Amino acid sequence: QVKLVESGGGLVQAGNSLTLSCVVSGRTFRPSRVGWFRQGSGKEREFVADIGWSGPYTDLAGFAKGRFTISRDNAKNTVYLQMNGLKSEDTAVYLCAAASAEIADGRYRYWGQGTQVTVSS
């Protein structure tokens, strides 16, 4: 069974920073990529960032460029999302998701439960 567990959310004031973590587990699971998504109250889920598990590539949504950084530690099976200069509009539930290296379509098939980030002004 594949499990993704996010942590690190909380309440912060605008302009401050948070770092989220996503721990990926599964005895034989090999991710091809891990991404972060977010969903604000009453809004559609949107892409934030992703990173290849083996390759060096990263991708960021436009609103995240210059403020957010995605990174990974394969030995810890953990992906991080460092968020700087947080704004009130960043308030959302942040979820991590993984695609399997064993499935060619590369779709995000495994999802965590999410961690709440609330940014106050």
Side-chain angles (χ1 to χ4, degrees), residues 2-40:
V2 178
K3 181 187 293 185
L4 284 72
V5 180
E6 304 95 336
S7 63
L11 174 64
V12 298
Q13 292 191 352
N16 288 349
S17 300
L18 279 176
T19 298
L20 307 181
S21 299
C22 173
V23 178
V24 181
S25 63
R27 180 172 293 182
T28 61
F29 181 59
R30 295 198 304 116
S32 58
R33 58 195 178 106
V34 178
W36 286 96
F37 297 77
R38 71 184 188 184
Q39 187 167 16

PDB file of all heavy atoms in Angstrom, residues 2-40:
ATOM      1  N   VAL A   2       0.525   2.189  -0.836  1.00  0.00           N
ATOM      2  CA  VAL A   2       1.254   3.441  -0.938  1.00  0.00           C
ATOM      3  C   VAL A   2       0.583   4.471  -0.045  1.00  0.00           C
ATOM      4  O   VAL A   2      -0.642   4.633  -0.075  1.00  0.00           O
ATOM      5  CB  VAL A   2       1.301   3.936  -2.390  1.00  0.00           C
ATOM      6  CG1 VAL A   2       2.013   5.276  -2.474  1.00  0.00           C
ATOM      7  CG2 VAL A   2       1.983   2.903  -3.274  1.00  0.00           C
ATOM      8  N   LYS A   3       1.385   5.162   0.733  1.00  0.00           N
ATOM      9  CA  LYS A   3       0.877   6.192   1.612  1.00  0.00           C
ATOM     10  C   LYS A   3       1.718   7.449   1.472  1.00  0.00           C
ATOM     11  O   LYS A   3       2.944   7.381   1.420  1.00  0.00           O
ATOM     12  CB  LYS A   3       0.895   5.719   3.063  1.00  0.00           C
ATOM     13  CG  LYS A   3       0.351   6.726   4.050  1.00  0.00           C
ATOM     14  CD  LYS A   3       0.538   6.277   5.486  1.00  0.00           C
ATOM     15  CE  LYS A   3      -0.298   5.081   5.824  1.00  0.00           C
ATOM     16  NZ  LYS A   3      -0.193   4.730   7.275  1.00  0.00           N
ATOM     17  N   LEU A   4       1.036   8.585   1.418  1.00  0.00           N
ATOM     18  CA  LEU A   4       1.684   9.879   1.400  1.00  0.00           C
ATOM     19  C   LEU A   4       1.147  10.678   2.583  1.00  0.00           C
ATOM     20  O   LEU A   4      -0.072  10.784   2.757  1.00  0.00           O
ATOM     21  CB  LEU A   4       1.402  10.644   0.106  1.00  0.00           C
ATOM     22  CG  LEU A   4       2.149  10.228  -1.168  1.00  0.00           C
ATOM     23  CD1 LEU A   4       1.643   8.895  -1.700  1.00  0.00           C
ATOM     24  CD2 LEU A   4       1.995  11.305  -2.233  1.00  0.00           C
ATOM     25  N   VAL A   5       2.042  11.233   3.381  1.00  0.00           N
ATOM     26  CA  VAL A   5       1.650  11.969   4.573  1.00  0.00           C
ATOM     27  C   VAL A   5       2.316  13.328   4.562  1.00  0.00           C
ATOM     28  O   VAL A   5       3.546  13.423   4.590  1.00  0.00           O
ATOM     29  CB  VAL A   5       2.011  11.211   5.859  1.00  0.00           C
ATOM     30  CG1 VAL A   5       1.585  12.025   7.079  1.00  0.00           C
ATOM     31  CG2 VAL A   5       1.348   9.843   5.883  1.00  0.00           C
ATOM     32  N   GLU A   6       1.496  14.368   4.538  1.00  0.00           N
ATOM     33  CA  GLU A   6       1.994  15.737   4.560  1.00  0.00           C
ATOM     34  C   GLU A   6       2.075  16.243   5.993  1.00  0.00           C
ATOM     35  O   GLU A   6       1.300  15.828   6.861  1.00  0.00           O
ATOM     36  CB  GLU A   6       1.068  16.673   3.769  1.00  0.00           C
ATOM     37  CG  GLU A   6       0.823  16.262   2.328  1.00  0.00           C
ATOM     38  CD  GLU A   6      -0.444  15.447   2.155  1.00  0.00           C
ATOM     39  OE1 GLU A   6      -0.897  14.803   3.135  1.00  0.00           O
ATOM     40  OE2 GLU A   6      -0.992  15.454   1.043  1.00  0.00           O
ATOM     41  N   SER A   7       2.983  17.174   6.216  1.00  0.00           N
ATOM     42  CA  SER A   7       3.088  17.832   7.508  1.00  0.00           C
ATOM     43  C   SER A   7       3.709  19.208   7.304  1.00  0.00           C
ATOM     44  O   SER A   7       4.260  19.501   6.244  1.00  0.00           O
ATOM     45  CB  SER A   7       3.907  17.013   8.501  1.00  0.00           C
ATOM     46  OG  SER A   7       5.243  16.859   8.059  1.00  0.00           O
ATOM     47  N   GLY A   8       3.617  20.038   8.322  1.00  0.00           N
ATOM     48  CA  GLY A   8       4.268  21.334   8.298  1.00  0.00           C
ATOM     49  C   GLY A   8       3.349  22.522   8.133  1.00  0.00           C
ATOM     50  O   GLY A   8       3.802  23.667   8.215  1.00  0.00           O
ATOM     51  N   GLY A   9       2.073  22.277   7.902  1.00  0.00           N
ATOM     52  CA  GLY A   9       1.144  23.378   7.762  1.00  0.00           C
ATOM     53  C   GLY A   9       0.889  24.071   9.087  1.00  0.00           C
ATOM     54  O   GLY A   9       1.273  23.600  10.151  1.00  0.00           O
ATOM     55  N   GLY A  10       0.232  25.205   9.007  1.00  0.00           N
ATOM     56  CA  GLY A  10      -0.081  25.952  10.200  1.00  0.00           C
ATOM     57  C   GLY A  10      -0.565  27.342   9.870  1.00  0.00           C
ATOM     58  O   GLY A  10      -0.849  27.666   8.720  1.00  0.00           O
ATOM     59  N   LEU A  11      -0.647  28.158  10.903  1.00  0.00           N
ATOM     60  CA  LEU A  11      -1.088  29.539  10.781  1.00  0.00           C
ATOM     61  C   LEU A  11       0.125  30.456  10.828  1.00  0.00           C
ATOM     62  O   LEU A  11       0.910  30.405  11.785  1.00  0.00           O
ATOM     63  CB  LEU A  11      -2.055  29.883  11.913  1.00  0.00           C
ATOM     64  CG  LEU A  11      -2.507  31.336  12.023  1.00  0.00           C
ATOM     65  CD1 LEU A  11      -3.304  31.746  10.790  1.00  0.00           C
ATOM     66  CD2 LEU A  11      -3.328  31.530  13.290  1.00  0.00           C
ATOM     67  N   VAL A  12       0.273  31.278   9.808  1.00  0.00           N
ATOM     68  CA  VAL A  12       1.385  32.222   9.747  1.00  0.00           C
ATOM     69  C   VAL A  12       0.874  33.580   9.289  1.00  0.00           C
ATOM     70  O   VAL A  12      -0.178  33.686   8.651  1.00  0.00           O
ATOM     71  CB  VAL A  12       2.512  31.749   8.809  1.00  0.00           C
ATOM     72  CG1 VAL A  12       3.108  30.433   9.296  1.00  0.00           C
ATOM     73  CG2 VAL A  12       1.997  31.608   7.384  1.00  0.00           C
ATOM     74  N   GLN A  13       1.632  34.600   9.609  1.00  0.00           N
ATOM     75  CA  GLN A  13       1.314  35.935   9.132  1.00  0.00           C
ATOM     76  C   GLN A  13       1.901  36.150   7.746  1.00  0.00           C
ATOM     77  O   GLN A  13       2.921  35.559   7.386  1.00  0.00           O
ATOM     78  CB  GLN A  13       1.847  36.991  10.095  1.00  0.00           C
ATOM     79  CG  GLN A  13       1.139  37.013  11.435  1.00  0.00           C
ATOM     80  CD  GLN A  13       1.504  38.226  12.263  1.00  0.00           C
ATOM     81  OE1 GLN A  13       2.396  38.988  11.921  1.00  0.00           O
ATOM     82  NE2 GLN A  13       0.797  38.411  13.359  1.00  0.00           N
ATOM     83  N   ALA A  14       1.250  36.986   6.987  1.00  0.00           N
ATOM     84  CA  ALA A  14       1.724  37.303   5.645  1.00  0.00           C
ATOM     85  C   ALA A  14       3.172  37.779   5.688  1.00  0.00           C
ATOM     86  O   ALA A  14       3.570  38.541   6.575  1.00  0.00           O
ATOM     87  CB  ALA A  14       0.830  38.359   5.011  1.00  0.00           C
ATOM     88  N   GLY A  15       3.949  37.308   4.723  1.00  0.00           N
ATOM     89  CA  GLY A  15       5.357  37.633   4.643  1.00  0.00           C
ATOM     90  C   GLY A  15       6.267  36.607   5.280  1.00  0.00           C
ATOM     91  O   GLY A  15       7.474  36.624   5.023  1.00  0.00           O
ATOM     92  N   ASN A  16       5.715  35.735   6.090  1.00  0.00           N
ATOM     93  CA  ASN A  16       6.512  34.703   6.746  1.00  0.00           C
ATOM     94  C   ASN A  16       6.630  33.462   5.862  1.00  0.00           C
ATOM     95  O   ASN A  16       6.104  33.421   4.750  1.00  0.00           O
ATOM     96  CB  ASN A  16       5.917  34.347   8.095  1.00  0.00           C
ATOM     97  CG  ASN A  16       6.127  35.449   9.117  1.00  0.00           C
ATOM     98  OD1 ASN A  16       6.885  36.392   8.888  1.00  0.00           O
ATOM     99  ND2 ASN A  16       5.461  35.339  10.257  1.00  0.00           N
ATOM    100  N   SER A  17       7.296  32.444   6.384  1.00  0.00           N
ATOM    101  CA  SER A  17       7.616  31.252   5.612  1.00  0.00           C
ATOM    102  C   SER A  17       7.151  29.991   6.306  1.00  0.00           C
ATOM    103  O   SER A  17       7.006  29.945   7.531  1.00  0.00           O
ATOM    104  CB  SER A  17       9.128  31.159   5.380  1.00  0.00           C
ATOM    105  OG  SER A  17       9.620  32.279   4.674  1.00  0.00           O
ATOM    106  N   LEU A  18       6.927  28.969   5.511  1.00  0.00           N
ATOM    107  CA  LEU A  18       6.649  27.623   5.981  1.00  0.00           C
ATOM    108  C   LEU A  18       7.337  26.634   5.059  1.00  0.00           C
ATOM    109  O   LEU A  18       7.492  26.911   3.860  1.00  0.00           O
ATOM    110  CB  LEU A  18       5.155  27.307   5.983  1.00  0.00           C
ATOM    111  CG  LEU A  18       4.272  27.786   7.127  1.00  0.00           C
ATOM    112  CD1 LEU A  18       2.822  27.412   6.824  1.00  0.00           C
ATOM    113  CD2 LEU A  18       4.703  27.194   8.451  1.00  0.00           C
ATOM    114  N   THR A  19       7.719  25.498   5.605  1.00  0.00           N
ATOM    115  CA  THR A  19       8.205  24.395   4.801  1.00  0.00           C
ATOM    116  C   THR A  19       7.333  23.173   5.058  1.00  0.00           C
ATOM    117  O   THR A  19       7.180  22.735   6.196  1.00  0.00           O
ATOM    118  CB  THR A  19       9.671  24.063   5.112  1.00  0.00           C
ATOM    119  OG1 THR A  19      10.490  25.194   4.794  1.00  0.00           O
ATOM    120  CG2 THR A  19      10.138  22.881   4.265  1.00  0.00           C
ATOM    121  N   LEU A  20       6.754  22.651   3.998  1.00  0.00           N
ATOM    122  CA  LEU A  20       5.930  21.460   4.081  1.00  0.00           C
ATOM    123  C   LEU A  20       6.754  20.232   3.725  1.00  0.00           C
ATOM    124  O   LEU A  20       7.688  20.309   2.921  1.00  0.00           O
ATOM    125  CB  LEU A  20       4.740  21.561   3.126  1.00  0.00           C
ATOM    126  CG  LEU A  20       3.873  22.821   3.237  1.00  0.00           C
ATOM    127  CD1 LEU A  20       2.725  22.751   2.240  1.00  0.00           C
ATOM    128  CD2 LEU A  20       3.360  23.008   4.655  1.00  0.00           C
ATOM    129  N   SER A  21       6.386  19.108   4.310  1.00  0.00           N
ATOM    130  CA  SER A  21       7.040  17.842   4.024  1.00  0.00           C
ATOM    131  C   SER A  21       6.014  16.828   3.567  1.00  0.00           C
ATOM    132  O   SER A  21       4.871  16.836   4.022  1.00  0.00           O
ATOM    133  CB  SER A  21       7.759  17.302   5.264  1.00  0.00           C
ATOM    134  OG  SER A  21       8.760  18.187   5.706  1.00  0.00           O
ATOM    135  N   CYS A  22       6.428  15.945   2.681  1.00  0.00           N
ATOM    136  CA  CYS A  22       5.600  14.837   2.225  1.00  0.00           C
ATOM    137  C   CYS A  22       6.436  13.574   2.275  1.00  0.00           C
ATOM    138  O   CYS A  22       7.417  13.445   1.527  1.00  0.00           O
ATOM    139  CB  CYS A  22       5.091  15.089   0.808  1.00  0.00           C
ATOM    140  SG  CYS A  22       4.210  13.703   0.058  1.00  0.00           S
ATOM    141  N   VAL A  23       6.062  12.661   3.146  1.00  0.00           N
ATOM    142  CA  VAL A  23       6.754  11.382   3.269  1.00  0.00           C
ATOM    143  C   VAL A  23       5.997  10.336   2.462  1.00  0.00           C
ATOM    144  O   VAL A  23       4.794  10.139   2.658  1.00  0.00           O
ATOM    145  CB  VAL A  23       6.870  10.942   4.738  1.00  0.00           C
ATOM    146  CG1 VAL A  23       7.556   9.584   4.833  1.00  0.00           C
ATOM    147  CG2 VAL A  23       7.642  11.977   5.541  1.00  0.00           C
ATOM    148  N   VAL A  24       6.701   9.680   1.571  1.00  0.00           N
ATOM    149  CA  VAL A  24       6.124   8.685   0.680  1.00  0.00           C
ATOM    150  C   VAL A  24       6.566   7.309   1.139  1.00  0.00           C
ATOM    151  O   VAL A  24       7.763   7.056   1.307  1.00  0.00           O
ATOM    152  CB  VAL A  24       6.557   8.922  -0.777  1.00  0.00           C
ATOM    153  CG1 VAL A  24       5.917   7.897  -1.707  1.00  0.00           C
ATOM    154  CG2 VAL A  24       6.210  10.334  -1.218  1.00  0.00           C
ATOM    155  N   SER A  25       5.622   6.405   1.334  1.00  0.00           N
ATOM    156  CA  SER A  25       5.955   5.064   1.784  1.00  0.00           C
ATOM    157  C   SER A  25       5.221   4.018   0.946  1.00  0.00           C
ATOM    158  O   SER A  25       4.179   4.272   0.360  1.00  0.00           O
ATOM    159  CB  SER A  25       5.632   4.881   3.262  1.00  0.00           C
ATOM    160  OG  SER A  25       4.245   5.027   3.511  1.00  0.00           O
ATOM    161  N   GLY A  26       5.794   2.839   0.932  1.00  0.00           N
ATOM    162  CA  GLY A  26       5.274   1.706   0.184  1.00  0.00           C
ATOM    163  C   GLY A  26       6.426   0.768  -0.083  1.00  0.00           C
ATOM    164  O   GLY A  26       7.454   1.199  -0.621  1.00  0.00           O
ATOM    165  N   ARG A  27       6.278  -0.473   0.290  1.00  0.00           N
ATOM    166  CA  ARG A  27       7.408  -1.405   0.302  1.00  0.00           C
ATOM    167  C   ARG A  27       8.126  -1.497  -1.047  1.00  0.00           C
ATOM    168  O   ARG A  27       9.359  -1.500  -1.095  1.00  0.00           O
ATOM    169  CB  ARG A  27       6.946  -2.794   0.732  1.00  0.00           C
ATOM    170  CG  ARG A  27       8.071  -3.823   0.771  1.00  0.00           C
ATOM    171  CD  ARG A  27       7.632  -5.129   1.376  1.00  0.00           C
ATOM    172  NE  ARG A  27       7.320  -4.967   2.790  1.00  0.00           N
ATOM    173  CZ  ARG A  27       6.950  -5.965   3.574  1.00  0.00           C
ATOM    174  NH1 ARG A  27       6.833  -7.198   3.086  1.00  0.00           N
ATOM    175  NH2 ARG A  27       6.676  -5.730   4.850  1.00  0.00           N
ATOM    176  N   THR A  28       7.362  -1.567  -2.126  1.00  0.00           N
ATOM    177  CA  THR A  28       7.968  -1.699  -3.442  1.00  0.00           C
ATOM    178  C   THR A  28       7.693  -0.506  -4.344  1.00  0.00           C
ATOM    179  O   THR A  28       7.969  -0.555  -5.547  1.00  0.00           O
ATOM    180  CB  THR A  28       7.474  -2.982  -4.137  1.00  0.00           C
ATOM    181  OG1 THR A  28       6.054  -2.922  -4.315  1.00  0.00           O
ATOM    182  CG2 THR A  28       7.827  -4.204  -3.302  1.00  0.00           C
ATOM    183  N   PHE A  29       7.180   0.573  -3.789  1.00  0.00           N
ATOM    184  CA  PHE A  29       6.777   1.703  -4.595  1.00  0.00           C
ATOM    185  C   PHE A  29       7.978   2.501  -5.081  1.00  0.00           C
ATOM    186  O   PHE A  29       8.868   2.838  -4.299  1.00  0.00           O
ATOM    187  CB  PHE A  29       5.844   2.614  -3.800  1.00  0.00           C
ATOM    188  CG  PHE A  29       5.351   3.802  -4.563  1.00  0.00           C
ATOM    189  CD1 PHE A  29       4.634   3.640  -5.735  1.00  0.00           C
ATOM    190  CD2 PHE A  29       5.608   5.087  -4.115  1.00  0.00           C
ATOM    191  CE1 PHE A  29       4.171   4.729  -6.448  1.00  0.00           C
ATOM    192  CE2 PHE A  29       5.152   6.185  -4.809  1.00  0.00           C
ATOM    193  CZ  PHE A  29       4.434   6.005  -5.984  1.00  0.00           C
ATOM    194  N   ARG A  30       7.986   2.796  -6.372  1.00  0.00           N
ATOM    195  CA  ARG A  30       9.000   3.651  -6.965  1.00  0.00           C
ATOM    196  C   ARG A  30       8.310   4.825  -7.642  1.00  0.00           C
ATOM    197  O   ARG A  30       7.685   4.654  -8.689  1.00  0.00           O
ATOM    198  CB  ARG A  30       9.838   2.896  -7.990  1.00  0.00           C
ATOM    199  CG  ARG A  30      10.676   1.774  -7.426  1.00  0.00           C
ATOM    200  CD  ARG A  30      11.782   1.359  -8.393  1.00  0.00           C
ATOM    201  NE  ARG A  30      11.256   0.987  -9.701  1.00  0.00           N
ATOM    202  CZ  ARG A  30      11.517   1.649 -10.827  1.00  0.00           C
ATOM    203  NH1 ARG A  30      12.309   2.709 -10.817  1.00  0.00           N
ATOM    204  NH2 ARG A  30      10.997   1.241 -11.971  1.00  0.00           N
ATOM    205  N   PRO A  31       8.411   6.010  -7.075  1.00  0.00           N
ATOM    206  CA  PRO A  31       7.795   7.170  -7.720  1.00  0.00           C
ATOM    207  C   PRO A  31       8.565   7.586  -8.962  1.00  0.00           C
ATOM    208  O   PRO A  31       9.787   7.444  -9.031  1.00  0.00           O
ATOM    209  CB  PRO A  31       7.876   8.271  -6.661  1.00  0.00           C
ATOM    210  CG  PRO A  31       8.272   7.589  -5.388  1.00  0.00           C
ATOM    211  CD  PRO A  31       9.019   6.356  -5.794  1.00  0.00           C
ATOM    212  N   SER A  32       7.840   8.100  -9.925  1.00  0.00           N
ATOM    213  CA  SER A  32       8.488   8.769 -11.042  1.00  0.00           C
ATOM    214  C   SER A  32       8.568  10.272 -10.794  1.00  0.00           C
ATOM    215  O   SER A  32       9.531  10.923 -11.181  1.00  0.00           O
ATOM    216  CB  SER A  32       7.748   8.489 -12.346  1.00  0.00           C
ATOM    217  OG  SER A  32       6.399   8.911 -12.271  1.00  0.00           O
ATOM    218  N   ARG A  33       7.553  10.814 -10.152  1.00  0.00           N
ATOM    219  CA  ARG A  33       7.530  12.222  -9.799  1.00  0.00           C
ATOM    220  C   ARG A  33       6.588  12.431  -8.626  1.00  0.00           C
ATOM    221  O   ARG A  33       5.653  11.651  -8.415  1.00  0.00           O
ATOM    222  CB  ARG A  33       7.108  13.090 -10.984  1.00  0.00           C
ATOM    223  CG  ARG A  33       5.751  12.745 -11.562  1.00  0.00           C
ATOM    224  CD  ARG A  33       5.551  13.382 -12.929  1.00  0.00           C
ATOM    225  NE  ARG A  33       4.266  12.997 -13.504  1.00  0.00           N
ATOM    226  CZ  ARG A  33       3.206  13.786 -13.601  1.00  0.00           C
ATOM    227  NH1 ARG A  33       3.270  15.045 -13.172  1.00  0.00           N
ATOM    228  NH2 ARG A  33       2.082  13.340 -14.137  1.00  0.00           N
ATOM    229  N   VAL A  34       6.836  13.471  -7.867  1.00  0.00           N
ATOM    230  CA  VAL A  34       5.993  13.842  -6.741  1.00  0.00           C
ATOM    231  C   VAL A  34       5.657  15.319  -6.879  1.00  0.00           C
ATOM    232  O   VAL A  34       6.541  16.136  -7.161  1.00  0.00           O
ATOM    233  CB  VAL A  34       6.679  13.566  -5.391  1.00  0.00           C
ATOM    234  CG1 VAL A  34       5.788  14.025  -4.235  1.00  0.00           C
ATOM    235  CG2 VAL A  34       6.988  12.079  -5.249  1.00  0.00           C
ATOM    236  N   GLY A  35       4.398  15.640  -6.683  1.00  0.00           N
ATOM    237  CA  GLY A  35       3.957  17.011  -6.845  1.00  0.00           C
ATOM    238  C   GLY A  35       3.201  17.530  -5.644  1.00  0.00           C
ATOM    239  O   GLY A  35       2.740  16.773  -4.793  1.00  0.00           O
ATOM    240  N   TRP A  36       3.107  18.843  -5.590  1.00  0.00           N
ATOM    241  CA  TRP A  36       2.288  19.538  -4.608  1.00  0.00           C
ATOM    242  C   TRP A  36       1.139  20.230  -5.318  1.00  0.00           C
ATOM    243  O   TRP A  36       1.327  20.867  -6.368  1.00  0.00           O
ATOM    244  CB  TRP A  36       3.100  20.575  -3.838  1.00  0.00           C
ATOM    245  CG  TRP A  36       4.035  19.995  -2.824  1.00  0.00           C
ATOM    246  CD1 TRP A  36       5.357  19.734  -2.982  1.00  0.00           C
ATOM    247  CD2 TRP A  36       3.705  19.609  -1.489  1.00  0.00           C
ATOM    248  NE1 TRP A  36       5.879  19.212  -1.821  1.00  0.00           N
ATOM    249  CE2 TRP A  36       4.896  19.121  -0.889  1.00  0.00           C
ATOM    250  CE3 TRP A  36       2.528  19.637  -0.738  1.00  0.00           C
ATOM    251  CZ2 TRP A  36       4.932  18.664   0.425  1.00  0.00           C
ATOM    252  CZ3 TRP A  36       2.566  19.176   0.569  1.00  0.00           C
ATOM    253  CH2 TRP A  36       3.760  18.696   1.127  1.00  0.00           C
ATOM    254  N   PHE A  37      -0.036  20.109  -4.723  1.00  0.00           N
ATOM    255  CA  PHE A  37      -1.233  20.773  -5.193  1.00  0.00           C
ATOM    256  C   PHE A  37      -1.864  21.504  -4.018  1.00  0.00           C
ATOM    257  O   PHE A  37      -1.534  21.235  -2.863  1.00  0.00           O
ATOM    258  CB  PHE A  37      -2.221  19.768  -5.778  1.00  0.00           C
ATOM    259  CG  PHE A  37      -1.706  19.052  -6.997  1.00  0.00           C
ATOM    260  CD1 PHE A  37      -0.792  18.022  -6.890  1.00  0.00           C
ATOM    261  CD2 PHE A  37      -2.147  19.419  -8.256  1.00  0.00           C
ATOM    262  CE1 PHE A  37      -0.321  17.356  -8.007  1.00  0.00           C
ATOM    263  CE2 PHE A  37      -1.681  18.764  -9.392  1.00  0.00           C
ATOM    264  CZ  PHE A  37      -0.765  17.739  -9.261  1.00  0.00           C
ATOM    265  N   ARG A  38      -2.766  22.404  -4.301  1.00  0.00           N
ATOM    266  CA  ARG A  38      -3.469  23.078  -3.224  1.00  0.00           C
ATOM    267  C   ARG A  38      -4.908  23.340  -3.629  1.00  0.00           C
ATOM    268  O   ARG A  38      -5.238  23.434  -4.811  1.00  0.00           O
ATOM    269  CB  ARG A  38      -2.783  24.388  -2.829  1.00  0.00           C
ATOM    270  CG  ARG A  38      -2.900  25.501  -3.861  1.00  0.00           C
ATOM    271  CD  ARG A  38      -2.101  26.713  -3.402  1.00  0.00           C
ATOM    272  NE  ARG A  38      -2.325  27.866  -4.256  1.00  0.00           N
ATOM    273  CZ  ARG A  38      -1.699  29.024  -4.139  1.00  0.00           C
ATOM    274  NH1 ARG A  38      -0.790  29.191  -3.174  1.00  0.00           N
ATOM    275  NH2 ARG A  38      -1.968  30.029  -4.970  1.00  0.00           N
ATOM    276  N   GLN A  39      -5.755  23.448  -2.622  1.00  0.00           N
ATOM    277  CA  GLN A  39      -7.152  23.727  -2.855  1.00  0.00           C
ATOM    278  C   GLN A  39      -7.655  24.681  -1.775  1.00  0.00           C
ATOM    279  O   GLN A  39      -7.731  24.311  -0.605  1.00  0.00           O
ATOM    280  CB  GLN A  39      -7.992  22.458  -2.860  1.00  0.00           C
ATOM    281  CG  GLN A  39      -9.434  22.683  -3.260  1.00  0.00           C
ATOM    282  CD  GLN A  39     -10.162  21.394  -3.571  1.00  0.00           C
ATOM    283  OE1 GLN A  39      -9.706  20.309  -3.223  1.00  0.00           O
ATOM    284  NE2 GLN A  39     -11.294  21.507  -4.239  1.00  0.00           N
ATOM    285  N   GLY A  40      -7.961  25.899  -2.181  1.00  0.00           N
ATOM    286  CA  GLY A  40      -8.548  26.859  -1.270  1.00  0.00           C
ATOM    287  C   GLY A  40     -10.027  26.602  -1.106  1.00  0.00           C
ATOM    288  O   GLY A  40     -10.664  25.924  -1.917  1.00  0.00           O
TER     289      GLY A  40
END
